[in-house]
Every structure is written in C-alpha cells, then in structure tokens.
Amino acid sequence: MNENVSVQNPVNLRLPDGSVRTFDGPVTGTTLAADIGPGLLKAALAIKVNGEMWDLTREIEADADVSIVTKRDTEDALDILRHDCAHVMAEAVQELFPGTQVTIGPNIQDGFFYDFARDKPFTEDDLAVIEKRMHEIVARDEDITREVWDRDEAIAYFKKIGEHYKAEIISDLPEGEPITVYRQGEWLDLCRGPHLPSTGKLGDAFKLMKVAGAYWRGDSKNAMLTRIYGTCWTDKKELKAYLHRLEEAEKRDHRKLGREMDLFHLQEEAQGSVFWHPQGYTIWLQMEKYIRSRLQGAGYNEIKTPQLLDSKFWEQSGHWSKFRENMFVVPDEIPSTEEDAPVVSANARLMALKPMNCPAHVQVFKQGIKSYRDLPIRFAEFGCCHRNEAHGALHGLMRVRQMTQDDAHIFCREDQITSESVAFCDLLASVYRDLGFPEFKVLLATRPETRAGTDETWDKAEGALEAALKAAGLEYDYAPGEGAFYGPKLEFHLSDAIGRTWQCGTLQLDFVLPERLDASFVGEDGNKHRPVMLHRAILGTLERFIGIMIEHYAGRMPLWLAPTQAVVTPITSDADDYAKEVFDALEAAGLRAKLDLRNEKINYKVREHSHAKVPAILVVGGREAEQKTVSVRRLGSNDQSVAPLAEVVAGLTAEAEMPSGKA
C-alpha cells in the first residue's frame, strides 16, 4: 500500500427536508446544486452552511447542514444581491471615473451604499451614467471568485494602485484574520463576501437613488467622501413596487403635510424641538387625552417628575457612563464675579436634563414604605425628555431632541411578571387597533454584549419575558443582542398603510435598576425585597407617533383626531344666517367646527378645505335653509349627500367619539 496516497473522508450534507447527500470528499455548493437538479443549479445564488452564507464555489470539507439560497429565500437573497450590486456599482464607477477610490459599502434597509473618495464629488447627474454601465457589467456576466491574500502583500498592492483607504482597512483588521479579495472580471475588491457566482446572476432589478456627503468612518475630522445610495430587489416587479412605495411615502411625508395643514414647524434656532401650531396641538391633546384615558382604565397612576436631575442619579443607574454624550448637562453653581474665572469650575455640581424617566420614577416609589400587598404599582408620566441627537440624524417629528414619552413603570413582585406583561400586551394591542394599526410584529431583544447584571439574572429575565409572550398567545421572533443594557425587552413593530414598519412600543424587564437605586418593599416574610421594574411605552414618543399617524392616514385623520372636524360654508351670502345656525349646532354638540363666510366661489372653498384635509364640508344654500337640511361632502369623495341638520349633527357626533378600546 502506498502511504503517500491521501484518503479523503466522505462529506455528508443534510438538506432542509432532512435528506442527506454524501460525497467522497470536499464539495462546493455548485456541485451540490447540480447534483440535486439543473433547475436548482440555474437558480442558485449562494449556499448556507450551518446557518452561515457561503459562496457557491467555496468547498465544504466536513459534514454540515446546508441549504441552497435562491431568489425565493427573500431575506438571504436580498442580502447577497444588494451586496453584489454595491460591488457592481463600484466597478462601474472605477471604469468610468479612473482614480476614484472605493472605501466602504454595506447593505442597508431596502438597499445599499458605497462611499467613494474623489477630488470632484459625484452629483445626481452622474447616477444615470453609472447605472447604465452597471447594466453592461451584468450583461458581461463576469465570473466572481474568492481569493485569500497575505496581509502584507494585500496592503502593498492596494497602496500601489492608489487605494489608500483599502490599505488602511486591512491594517486595522485583527492579526490572523484572513484577508479575502473578490475578483470580478478584471476588477477586484477587498471583501469578506459571500458573493454571487457571476455578475449575470444579479439581474436588472436595481436603481441608483441619490448622492450624499459622508465623512470617512463617520468622523467629522476625517475627509469628506461621496456616498451613492442604491436599491436592489429580486425582480423588476418588486423594484417597481418599492419605487411606488417611495412615491407614496413622499406624498405622505409628515413634514410636507404638516406645512399644508398648518400643524407644526421646526427652525434652526431650536434644532430638534417642535413648534406646535393650534391645529397640530389639537391632535397632540387628543392623543394625550386618549392614551391617558386608556391608562387610567388599566390601573395606572399618573405622576409628574422634574426634568433636571442631579448627575448622581444617572451615575447610580448606569446611564451616566453609557448615555452621557447624549445628555444635556448643566452646571449647578453660582457664576463667579471674577473676570478671569472659568465659566464652569472643576468642582461644579452637575445636573442633567433627563433623557428618560426611570430613575425619577424610582424616587417616587421610594417615598414611604411599600408592602408586597401594594404591588403592582403602575406609575405613568407624559415625561418631557431631552436627548442630544446628532444634527444629521434629526428628521421632522420622527427624530427630535425634545420628546414626550407615554412612559410608565410597573413595580411588581417576581410572581406578577407574567400577569403584568400579558396585561400590557393586551392593552397595547387594543390601543394599536383603536389607532388604525391592527397588525404588529413582536421581537424579543436579548442580552447585549455590554450589559449590567449577571448572566443568571439575564437568564431569569429573558425566560420571564418569553413565558409572558407565550401566556399572551403572541407569535414572536428574536433580536439577539438588542436588549437594553439593564435588561431584555419586547419590541412592538407596527405596519402602516403602505407596508412600512415602525418600532414604537417596548416592554423592558429590569432586575438591575431597583438594586442600583435601592428600591425595596416589605415582603410577606417581613424582610426587604427588591421589586421587579417593567419599563413600558405604547406610543413611544408623542411626536414620533403623531408623525407616523399623519403619514399612515396621509393627513386624513379619523374624525375624533382631526383638528377641524367640519367646516360650514354657504353657497351665497343669502344663506349666511343659516350657515351660522348650522355652525352653532355643531359647536353645541362639542364638535370642532369652523365657519367660512368668505365671498369666494363655493368650488374654490371646497377645494381649499379638502386640501387642508377637513373630514366634512357642510354646504348650505337657500334650499337647505328652507328645508333645514345640510349638503355634506366627505373628504376623498366627489359625492355629496343631503340630510336633515339634526341627523347630520348626530352622525358626526357619534363618529367623533374617542375610541374606548372596546371591540
């Protein structure tokens, strides 16, 4: 027997259906797909090996659970398609604009971007040219192959070709990490992968969207780069649907509608804070009134706590070390009268505008002795909070620096966690139904890498939330590592009218903060015990949720929320007196009505009030005055109905009732 002949062990690959295919030695995904069938080989994009995405051409050397990824596997397919689309864009850019450096280009929600270093920044006018070349690269069907390079050789190569950013990236990688390069035809790039087998597999369902400036590695001290954003989908039908959603989203943009409906404005002198106009503040007050009534019905006690708190509370809670850079800190000292004295002395006592309400709620809980019989205690607050969000992250009502949370904290015993969590989930589902969001998704966010508390505590907390979800009968997925630093949480993601998802509600289970802030109750055994703290919100912040509502309803708010519920206008001045009578009847019924007696044509007035999204326009003339009727035109309809005044008032009054949560 020749001892130099190597003997390869068989490789057993288990497919999703449980069947196993055995090969004599290492095998690629391409070979596996061909072994299963020519149809699968043609459709294959990548392979999953023990849950990890690999190139089809990479050899599998040991037994594994595998699945071939095709465009039917939407999430995985989109991930690799968008990754490759970014690379095809980079190749197109460097073909068209020699000397441009390629830096970093990750996937993002609904697409991808790539940052480029170039003396002359790209403009929107360049996108069509780049996109045209991308389609040509796809048509060339260039093979994409993976290569492992020596670290020093890779750095030297990229420096030699003028790709200094790539050389810097490699230098910063941990020692011993493989340096992988993907060759795409004649073009290559540093990348971990995986990638498609060839550019032809990408297809044509992509589009470049916009350009923007971006600092290298997000640091304003570094060079400014040009970022090109794009989107990519599995087929042209999906791309068309996405572009339609964008068009619809633009029409629904709450900033645009806010101006048209005179709801609010923002200005440079108060970045991230909202100036609410009477119309917009009416929506705010109605939302606050509604959620307050639901909380009262669920056994919450509303409190009010200070906005400015001593830094010691934030140090004790752990927020000072984790969130201080996002907090507005205020020195608490008498300014010196000395001319050369510093504005803030080194020993100044520090205060901070609260970024959240939880430490303050613990202070209220700690007043007086609490018994196990007193629990659960549910404190609610429409707490005004401040967070020093980056200027570039601010976005209308959706991302602000001053916010009001529909915040509440439940202090309970461990044996009450399940019942309190189920009650909260039921309340949240009911509120979302009332507000027009019957569909939502739940994620269980587990322990992050940086966290407070022991693993034993986290095991207990995560297990308790999972048990609560099962008791509530809710389906859920996991968000690994996305928990708060002091405990796991449930995230509630609702879907709006055009299919976008928004994470609004949260339920966070916390064993840590009561310990750190020394909260306790007297148990049945007469000893002190720590309460469990449930941090919870349904809307999240009123600002953001109102922005979501405006976009969800495209400004056509439900009657109970509409700032102006009805406008009364006469056809001619002869009907002014009757118009006033109709207006008085609406006001007497508690409806928010306006009277429009302007000497304008009726079609002009109807068009103007429709543009302002008034739900009901009541038109009266001589005939209506004589018969004591009203002609009603509803928003979004060209039809109008005529009915007796009393019937119209009764109908609008019933429709304008605030939801109660009852099915």
Side-chain angles (χ1 to χ4, degrees):
M1 179 176 178
N2 187 347
E3 295 181 359
N4 293 324
V5 176
S6 62
V7 178
Q8 293 183 328
N9 294 322
V11 175
N12 301 299
L13 302 181
R14 185 186 300 275
L15 299 171
D17 64 1
S19 63
V20 176
R21 296 206 175 222
T22 301
F23 297 85
D24 292 336
V27 60
T28 66
T30 302
T31 301
L32 173 63
D35 191 58
I36 295 172
L40 183 60
L41 176 62
K42 184 178 180 181
L45 302 177
I47 185 170
K48 259 190 165 179
V49 180
N50 295 326
E52 183 182 349
M53 292 273 281
W54 282 22
D55 305 307
L56 283 170
T57 54
R58 188 171 169 184
E59 286 193 332
I60 308 165
E61 298 177 346
D63 295 353
D65 291 327
V66 299
S67 60
I68 301 294
V69 176
T70 70
K71 289 185 177 181
R72 291 185 178 182
D73 306 296
T74 306
E75 188 173 335
D76 290 329
L78 285 175
D79 190 51
I80 195 167
L81 288 169
R82 288 168 179 166
H83 190 168
D84 277 58
C85 203
H87 276 238
V88 169
M89 178 177 71
E91 181 181 0
V93 164
Q94 292 195 313
E95 283 186 4
L96 292 165
F97 306 96
T100 302
Q101 292 189 65
V102 177
T103 65
I104 295 173
N107 287 359
I108 55 175
Q109 184 177 1
D110 297 330
F112 59 90
F113 69 77
Y114 230 125
D115 289 344
F116 299 98
R118 184 174 179 242
D119 292 338
K120 181 183 178 182
F122 291 108
T123 68
E124 302 285 341
D125 294 336
D126 296 317
L127 298 187
V129 178
I130 297 169
E131 192 175 305
K132 182 173 182 289
R133 181 59 61 92
M134 290 172 67
H135 286 288
E136 293 172 5
I137 292 170
V138 170
R140 296 200 299 245
D141 195 20
E142 299 172 345
D143 288 337
I144 302 174
T145 55
R146 178 178 184 266
E147 301 174 5
V148 180
W149 285 21
D150 174 79
R151 181 191 191 88
D152 293 335
E153 289 179 1
I155 293 172
Y157 172 82
F158 282 106
K159 282 183 177 179
K160 181 181 177 182
I161 65 171
E163 292 275 11
H164 301 290
Y165 290 95
K166 291 293 181 186
E168 182 180 329
I169 292 170
I170 298 170
S171 298
D172 291 344
L173 292 174
E175 290 287 344
E177 182 167 328
I179 307 300
T180 53
V181 170
Y182 279 81
R183 194 176 294 275
Q184 192 168 288
E186 298 297 319
W187 183 84
L188 57 79
D189 193 13
L190 173 73
C191 188
R192 287 194 180 96
H195 281 281
L196 301 168
S198 70
T199 59
K201 289 277 191 178
L202 179 61
D204 292 319
F206 58 82
K207 182 174 179 59
L208 300 186
M209 305 299 293
K210 62 179 180 179
V211 298
Y215 292 109
W216 168 235
R217 291 184 161 170
D219 189 338
S220 59
K221 296 176 183 177
N222 291 336
M224 174 66 76
L225 308 174
T226 301
R227 177 171 294 177
I228 300 181
Y229 288 94
T231 189
C232 178
W233 299 85
T234 58
D235 56 43
K236 288 186 176 180
K237 182 179 178 182
E238 284 190 354
L239 174 62
K240 184 178 179 181
Y242 171 70
L243 296 176
H244 175 72
R245 286 200 303 273
L246 286 185
E247 290 176 13
E248 192 63 31
E250 188 175 350
K251 294 176 189 174
R252 294 167 179 261
D253 190 319
H254 71 283
R255 296 166 299 179
K256 171 177 172 286
L257 291 171
R259 289 190 298 271
E260 293 176 358
M261 298 171 66
D262 192 25
L263 303 180
F264 64 90
H265 83 274
L266 300 115
Q267 63 187 62
E268 196 68 19
E269 293 81 358
Q271 293 177 8
S273 298
V274 184
F275 292 82
W276 290 99
H277 300 188
Q279 291 280 92
Y281 196 52
T282 298
I283 296 176
W284 174 290
L285 291 173
Q286 287 297 105
M287 286 289 291
E288 189 179 63
K289 182 180 179 182
Y290 164 74
I291 199 68
R292 175 175 281 122
S293 70
R294 298 304 312 275
L295 292 175
Q296 288 173 346
Y300 288 80
N301 292 302
E302 191 172 341
I303 61 176
K304 190 71 174 173
T305 60
Q307 285 183 253
L308 197 61
L309 293 171
D310 194 293
S311 62
K312 73 176 184 180
F313 291 123
W314 309 110
E315 290 167 3
Q316 291 169 358
S317 69
H319 292 100
W320 194 251
S321 60
K322 187 171 178 64
F323 295 115
R324 183 179 176 179
E325 64 182 20
N326 298 115
M327 297 168 71
F328 290 100
V329 178
V330 181
D332 180 25
E333 69 172 356
I334 300 172
S336 175
T337 56
E338 297 177 22
E339 187 174 338
D340 297 330
V343 176
V344 181
S345 66
N347 60 353
R349 179 185 175 198
L350 296 180
M351 310 281 283
L353 288 171
K354 62 180 179 182
M356 63 276 297
N357 300 300
C358 25
H361 286 201
V362 175
Q363 305 313 308
V364 177
F365 177 85
K366 288 171 64 177
Q367 300 305 301
I369 298 172
K370 302 295 188 295
S371 163
Y372 70 96
R373 294 189 184 90
D374 298 322
L375 304 183
I377 292 174
R378 309 179 188 95
F379 287 148
E381 179 177 10
F382 294 99
C384 182
C385 298
H386 291 78
R387 296 181 185 177
N388 192 12
E389 301 283 359
H391 181 267
L394 300 176
H395 180 74
L397 300 178
M398 303 302 194
R399 194 75 174 263
V400 293
R401 286 176 172 170
Q402 178 182 299
M403 66 210 74
T404 300
Q405 300 175 326
D406 69 315
D407 202 9
H409 294 89
I410 302 169
F411 297 86
C412 65
R413 306 186 306 265
E414 285 192 35
D415 63 294
Q416 295 171 322
I417 291 174
T418 298
S419 59
E420 287 300 306
S421 299
V422 170
F424 169 72
C425 291
D426 290 344
L427 175 63
L428 175 139
S430 174
V431 168
Y432 283 179
R433 281 196 301 271
D434 281 351
L435 299 180
F437 302 97
E439 301 294 329
F440 61 88
K441 182 179 179 181
V442 186
L443 295 180
L444 172 55
T446 58
R447 67 195 75 184
E449 188 173 335
T450 303
R451 57 185 181 269
T454 65
D455 286 344
E456 182 182 2
T457 298
W458 277 87
D459 289 341
K460 181 166 64 173
E462 289 171 355
L465 276 187
E466 194 152 20
L469 283 169
K470 291 174 180 176
L474 292 173
E475 294 183 1
Y476 60 94
D477 290 321
Y478 293 95
E482 295 298 317
F485 83 97
Y486 48 74
K489 63 180 178 177
L490 303 183
E491 295 180 354
F492 298 88
H493 298 250
L494 53 81
S495 298
D496 70 9
I498 58 175
R500 297 172 300 181
T501 58
W502 306 88
Q503 195 260 302
C504 296
T506 58
L507 176 65
Q508 301 171 10
L509 177 55
D510 182 7
F511 288 100
V512 174
L513 217 57
E515 178 73 33
R516 289 190 168 190
L517 296 177
D518 195 28
S520 64
F521 68 91
V522 178
E524 193 171 5
D525 58 3
N527 296 321
K528 281 189 175 183
H529 299 268
R530 298 294 183 201
V532 180
M533 198 170 173
L534 299 176
H535 308 244
R536 44 109 299 166
I538 296 176
L539 306 182
T541 73
L542 267 72
E543 290 84 357
R544 182 168 177 267
F545 204 92
I546 289 172
I548 293 169
M549 292 278 285
I550 292 169
E551 296 196 0
H552 176 63
Y553 286 106
R556 300 175 178 180
M557 309 299 277
L559 196 64
W560 70 275
L561 262 183
T564 300
Q565 294 170 319
V567 167
V568 184
T569 184
I571 298 173
T572 64
S573 59
D574 293 341
D576 282 2
D577 289 342
Y578 182 58
K580 292 176 183 176
E581 183 182 332
V582 173
F583 170 74
D584 290 342
L586 294 172
E587 277 211 319
L591 292 162
R592 295 185 292 277
K594 289 184 178 179
L595 179 62
D596 185 353
L597 299 180
R598 291 176 300 164
N599 185 24
E600 299 283 358
K601 291 183 179 180
I602 190 63
N603 287 341
Y604 173 84
K605 291 194 282 187
V606 167
R607 193 162 54 246
E608 188 179 69
H609 294 306
S610 297
H611 190 68
K613 306 295 188 292
V614 177
I617 302 173
L618 278 53
V619 179
V620 296
R623 182 184 303 173
E624 285 81 9
E626 182 181 333
Q627 299 176 353
K628 298 298 180 185
T629 59
V630 178
S631 179
V632 182
R633 184 188 295 266
R634 297 305 299 260
L635 182 63
S637 173
N638 292 323
D639 299 329
Q640 55 186 26
S641 60
V642 179
L645 173 59
E647 184 180 316
V648 170
V649 172
L652 290 175
T653 303
E655 186 182 342
E657 283 187 15
M658 185 174 288
S660 63
K662 297 176 181 177

